Amino acid sequence: MAEFNALTESVIKGDIKSAVAETQKALETGQDIQSIIDDGLIRAMDDVGERFSKGQIFVPQMLRSAKTMQECMKLIQPHFKEGDVKAKGKVVIGTVKGDLHDIGKNLVSMMLEGAGFTIIDLGVDVNPEAFVEKVKETEADIMGMSALLSTTMPAMRHTIDALKEAGIRDQVKVMIGGAPVTDDFAREIKADAYAPDAGSAVIQTKKLLGLS
Amino acid sequence: MRPIEIPTFQPRMKVLNREQALAIHTAALEILEKTGIKMEHPTVLEALAGEGCRVSGRDWVKIPAYLAEEALHSAPRQIALYDQQGNKSMPLTHENPFYGTGSDATFTFDMETGERRRSVLSDVANYARLVDGLENIAFCMSMANPVDVPVIEDIYLQVFAEMVKNTNKPIVFIADSGKDIARIYEIACLVAGGEELLQQKPFLLNYSEAISPLRFPQNVMERLIFCAEKKLPICLPSGSNAGGGSPVTLAGAMALGIAENLAGLVIHQLFGKGSPFLFGPNVSVLDMKSTVVSYGCPEWSLTQAALADMRDELYGLPIWAFAGASDAKVMDAQAGAESMFSIITAMLSRCNLIHDVGFLEYGSTSSLEMVTMANELVAMSRFFVGGIPVNDNTLALDAIERVASGEPGSIFLMDDHTFEHFMEAQFLPTLLDRSRYDSWEQSGALDMYGRCNKEAKKILATHQVNAKSDVVLEEIDRLLRR
Ligand code: B1M
């Protein structure tokens, strides 16, 4: 692990230039790809996530680290061989029908991406059918719904119903969030998880996929 | 010859100089001309193209600066809102600040149990009646997003009817689309006694929002067109919150929010030249730790004070603002500090229509006690902004002479001058407690929250709202059932 300390440090600092250089170096010296990702990049992001949840750093710093990691991933990707890298999980996410708020959802997406998940973002005002179709098409592990209006919270229920009707409810875990949403509501509509903020969304996603 | 009267300076705050105001305005125009907006309403897109805007792609449109300048000229410089009995109660001209509540809080603090719970329809009624009974709260918004409305699509219609039944003050209302706004308008016509009377003496204003950055959804445009055509006052503040919907630096956030407002105004004036449009974006901040949009930060007060300066330097249109809210989770010292900060600065900068009074938890929760406290904080601010009148009477040289040269024991407290003037010379608080310790303890040792709770309960128990006629009430109910 120690060999990735410089990489980890650069990602934590959000220093894209040196992180990319460190990644390049690791690739050139023939380091194991999975290890660069896990022990270099993800380790850095775990650290960043922890600092953020303790209030030691601010959102832009965390997102800068996520961006730094993504730049590094771009370098690594061409070196992927079949079966080389375990994909962490796919998340289809969107703001539910009738709702146009997206800042929270975008933040959740970026944090999940930073934690190594693949994000398929459907945008805002997404109707249940569109969610279902995308989940089917991508074989997503998680379907994430965001709602900021109490008037659009029922759409979360309708979307879960649509999953049932399509016969794929048990193939995907459902996570919900947004200011008026509560844990109780999540239980009521039988969602699998609720997250009050972006940091918790990452934790919940990992839990749902048995990664922590 | 009588001496010349000395005019009273009324304390006034400025935060921008003319150069700064012009630079932000110019930047806003540049955003419209060079970046453009995303217009999702096909008819509006066509109308803009017809006026010489450049359309590219499916819905992207660039607006030449002269259209914004023209719209600024044709929009009325003053908007008067009337109460529901036809009295002019809110002349929104540039020196007049009016405070009112906010909309859509998900939760509220139950007045009886003190518990934070989901808002219900009867909360809307309570807030409306409280506002009706508070002297310094000029207008009413729903303060609740009730969980118990029978048909969720009709939520804004329901809360509007509830407000109409429980207050006669002007109402600022939310709607979802061209559909519910038309039904709300029907109720408003009933209350005013017909469409013409409503247009002459509007008692309501619609609060719609564009989406930063630069997005204009179909349903929002339906409302904008509806209001423009019906001459119903409207505001269209986008959420250009620094670091959220807009750049993190306040100047850029303002430029973007103003650009969005100007685009809205251009469209509005195209569909209803001379119709009333209340100007101004919401420029708060996205908190970089909690990721909430703050309702208690100094930045929002600062940007709206800056907008007031731009109004004075450039726009001339009355402006939309916020105050009296807080990010605190309960009505505590933080809530007091934050609400007073925004109330006094909004008044010092002469913001016009000032909403969100009584919000806690960044707009998620409403509090009757907060509204009640704000009523007194507004009074306190008004007193301050009244300044110090300087004249023979207030200099009171006669009284000084009398007391100084009077018999032993002659004191100001006994002097007629004191008796005649103390009411206007001093601010006389009712909720802010100045009693001596013992009497405070004897009267129950209540803190500010406790006193406001008591006062709110008293007003709700005793204040009589002038009821609407049975005919109007029946018609409203019929309309709600439709
Ligand atoms: C999948 O798993 C997950 C997991 C976690 C998830 C998740 C999904 N989604 C979110 N999370 C969680 O993690 C995120 C990051 O930590 C968090 O996301 P948040 O979204 O909470 O946090 C964001 C990072 C920052 N927060 C925000 O972006 C929301 C802030 C506030 C001020 C807000 C904004 C900015 C806006 N608004 Co709106 N808006 C308000 C909000 C009041 C407030 N202070 O919260 C709220 C939400 N709005 C409200 C309303 C009423 C409205 N808004 C409207 C419009 C807008 C703007 C367009 C102006 C703008 C949105 C811009 C945009 N691009 O999103 C209208 C509706 C439009 C529509 N159909 O959607 C309109 C109806 C107002 C009108 N006049 O028309 C209220 C909703 C009340 C309710 N209970 O229904 C409101 C609480 C304000 C209020 N008190 O009145 C968590 O919730």
Side-chain angles (χ1 to χ4, degrees):
Chain A
M1 265 225 262
E3 60 249 276
F4 298 121
N5 277 353
L7 174 58
T8 307
E9 266 320 298
S10 317
V11 174
I12 291 173
K13 276 202 218 123
D15 182 343
I16 298 180
K17 225 167 131 194
S18 76
V20 165
E22 286 299 327
T23 308
Q24 192 65 46
K25 209 164 81 191
L27 288 169
E28 277 162 11
T29 55
Q31 301 281 357
D32 174 49
I33 288 192
Q34 188 70 50
S35 171
I36 302 178
I37 296 175
D38 287 346
D39 305 328
L41 302 177
I42 305 259
R43 182 160 67 100
M45 286 312 292
D46 285 346
D47 190 272
V48 166
E50 196 176 313
R51 287 183 203 209
F52 176 70
S53 58
K54 285 192 187 144
Q56 289 166 348
I57 59 167
F58 296 91
V59 182
Q61 292 165 311
M62 180 175 65
L63 293 178
R64 176 59 177 259
S65 292
K67 194 191 222 168
T68 309
M69 165 165 170
Q70 277 159 19
E71 290 303 316
C72 298
M73 286 302 287
K74 279 189 200 152
L75 275 185
I76 298 172
Q77 247 138 23
H79 299 265
F80 281 176
K81 284 188 226 82
E82 197 68 36
D84 226 7
V85 178
K86 299 189 287 299
K88 249 187 146 178
K90 257 186 240 162
V91 184
V92 163
I93 195 168
T95 302
V96 297
K97 185 158 179 48
D99 204 320
L100 304 172
H101 293 85
D102 67 355
I103 296 169
K105 180 219 38 151
N106 293 347
L107 193 56
V108 170
S109 304
M110 279 175 228
M111 292 275 289
L112 286 172
E113 209 158 32
F117 296 95
T118 308
I119 301 296
I120 300 119
D121 186 348
L122 299 177
V124 295
D125 194 11
V126 181
N127 61 38
E129 298 73 41
F131 269 112
V132 171
E133 206 169 295
K134 219 20 155 209
V135 169
K136 270 195 200 156
E137 181 195 318
T138 58
E139 297 182 345
D141 305 282
I142 306 258
M143 183 181 87
M145 291 184 281
S146 178
L148 265 284
L149 301 170
S150 13
T151 44
T152 57
M153 280 164 63
M156 293 181 150
R157 191 196 298 271
H158 300 153
T159 309
I160 292 182
D161 287 346
L163 283 179
K164 281 189 213 145
E165 271 158 39
I168 55 168
R169 175 64 188 92
D170 49 3
Q171 291 164 31
V172 66
K173 301 277 187 210
V174 176
M175 175 167 71
I176 64 172
V181 177
T182 59
D183 212 3
D184 284 346
F185 181 73
R187 270 195 293 270
E188 191 187 312
I189 65 168
K190 303 207 166 55
D192 301 293
Y194 153 76
D197 54 49
S200 328
V202 174
I203 296 170
Q204 289 296 342
T205 305
K206 287 183 180 165
K207 263 200 203 148
L208 286 176
L209 299 180
L211 297 172
S212 67
Chain B
M1 201 182 83
R2 283 186 50 189
I4 295 168
E5 260 182 47
I6 303 173
T8 306
F9 177 76
Q10 303 196 313
R12 180 69 193 254
M13 186 172 80
K14 269 205 168 301
V15 305
L16 290 184
N17 58 33
R18 187 168 168 78
E19 290 78 8
Q20 286 171 296
L22 273 170
I24 294 175
H25 175 60
T26 309
L29 293 177
E30 187 169 331
I31 293 170
L32 292 180
E33 276 202 351
K34 303 248 163 84
T35 310
I37 64 166
K38 186 171 187 291
M39 174 47 63
E40 297 172 5
H41 193 295
T43 318
V44 174
L45 194 66
E46 239 170 70
L48 286 172
E51 291 297 312
C53 299
R54 269 188 301 135
V55 178
S56 55
R58 204 161 52 98
D59 55 10
W60 203 259
V61 54
K62 294 181 177 157
I63 303 175
Y66 72 86
L67 283 182
E69 302 286 8
E70 273 175 22
L72 281 166
H73 280 290
S74 63
R77 306 211 147 213
Q78 40 187 297
I79 302 173
L81 288 184
Y82 291 72
D83 65 22
Q84 294 172 51
Q85 290 157 327
N87 307 302
K88 193 195 268 188
S89 64
M90 289 175 59
L92 298 169
T93 52
H94 68 278
E95 288 289 324
N96 282 328
F98 294 98
Y99 293 81
T101 44
S103 72
D104 291 283
T106 311
F107 304 98
T108 195
F109 275 103
D110 190 289
M111 185 178 60
E112 299 298 334
T113 64
E115 164 210 14
R116 172 181 173 272
R117 59 158 172 76
R118 199 61 180 79
S119 309
V120 292
L121 204 51
S122 60
D123 293 321
V124 178
N126 278 342
Y127 279 99
R129 289 189 30 240
L130 182 69
V131 166
D132 201 82
L134 291 172
E135 194 187 340
N136 300 307
I137 306 298
F139 64 92
C140 170
M141 290 180 77
S142 70
M143 275 310 242
N145 191 282
V147 69
D148 58 344
V149 288
V151 186
I152 192 105
E153 289 75 30
D154 289 347
I155 187 167
Y156 291 121
L157 181 69
Q158 292 273 356
V159 297
F160 184 76
E162 208 60 29
M163 287 190 276
V164 161
K165 288 178 188 171
N166 288 284
T167 182
N168 284 305
K169 290 195 172 169
I171 293 174
V172 175
F173 72 101
I174 312 279
D176 181 49
S177 66
K179 265 193 232 141
D180 58 351
I181 202 170
R183 291 175 74 193
I184 287 169
Y185 182 70
E186 275 186 66
I187 297 185
C189 288
L190 280 174
V191 172
E195 194 160 15
E196 205 171 302
L197 282 173
L198 184 66
Q199 273 185 16
Q200 256 175 37
K201 298 184 170 183
F203 71 84
L204 71 173
L205 180 141
N206 176 245
Y207 172 16
S208 286
E209 298 175 320
I211 301 187
S212 300
L214 300 161
R215 181 169 165 217
F216 291 75
Q218 166 110 15
N219 65 338
V220 177
M221 292 302 96
E222 284 172 13
R223 273 145 33 201
L224 188 69
I225 295 173
F226 186 92
C227 289
E229 288 178 346
K230 301 283 188 197
K231 299 207 175 306
L232 203 63
I234 185 173
C235 61
L236 193 74
S238 45
S240 58
N241 300 301
S246 69
V248 73
T249 40
L250 297 183
M254 284 191 71
L256 181 62
I258 288 172
E260 287 157 345
N261 246 259
L262 288 172
L265 182 65
V266 166
I267 297 156
H268 182 259
Q269 293 298 302
L270 273 182
F271 284 84
K273 199 167 191 166
S275 288
F277 186 95
L278 189 72
F279 200 73
N282 289 324
V283 188
S284 178
V285 298
L286 182 77
D287 179 73
M288 291 303 176
K289 266 190 186 164
S290 63
T291 73
V292 307
V293 170
S294 170
Y295 280 51
C297 61
E299 289 89 341
W300 199 350
S301 293
L302 188 58
T303 57
Q304 66 188 19
L307 187 73
D309 292 341
M310 293 181 72
R311 171 199 60 202
D312 297 344
E313 292 288 352
L314 302 164
Y315 299 136
L317 305 182
I319 59 167
W320 167 257
F322 104 107
S326 173
D327 295 329
K329 264 46 80 182
V330 295
M331 189 178 135
D332 59 2
Q334 179 184 343
E338 288 177 345
S339 53
M340 187 53 175
F341 186 89
S342 51
I343 286 174
I344 182 75
T345 53
M347 194 177 291
L348 282 170
S349 53
R350 308 294 194 269
C351 291
N352 301 117
L353 192 142
I354 305 161
H355 84 309
D356 281 351
V357 168
F359 269 168
L360 285 170
E361 196 194 339
Y362 41 87
S364 295
T365 303
S366 58
S367 158
L368 291 159
E369 292 83 3
M370 278 285 284
V371 179
T372 309
M373 172 170 77
N375 185 59
E376 180 130 324
L377 300 183
V378 172
M380 196 176 182
S381 305
R382 267 198 216 293
F383 181 87
F384 185 83
V385 167
I388 302 177
V390 181
N391 53 45
D392 283 352
N393 191 21
T394 61
L395 287 168
L397 297 182
D398 292 348
I400 294 171
E401 169 100 24
R402 275 194 302 277
V403 171
S405 60
E407 294 117 51
S410 95
I411 55 173
F412 285 111
L413 269 179
M414 279 295 291
D415 197 87
D416 286 350
H417 183 265
T418 304
F419 175 75
E420 277 152 20
H421 297 292
F422 81 96
M423 289 265 209
E424 82 267 356
Q426 291 196 351
F427 171 62
L428 305 170
T430 53
L431 293 166
L432 294 161
D433 181 79
R434 296 178 183 167
S435 64
R436 288 178 190 273
Y437 192 88
D438 290 352
S439 54
W440 172 74
E441 202 174 35
Q442 275 157 25
S443 56
L446 291 176
D447 63 4
M448 186 65 175
Y449 169 80
R451 294 190 298 274
C452 290
N453 178 267
K454 210 167 138 186
E455 177 70 8
K457 281 178 180 159
K458 193 179 99 193
I459 294 173
L460 289 179
T462 56
H463 176 69
Q464 298 287 341
V465 179
N466 276 341
K468 306 272 168 350
S469 77
D470 289 344
V471 186
V472 168
L473 291 175
E474 274 162 31
E475 281 291 305
I476 292 175
D477 285 337
R478 201 181 48 79
L479 222 144
L480 287 180
R481 281 194 303 271
R482 208 171 66 203

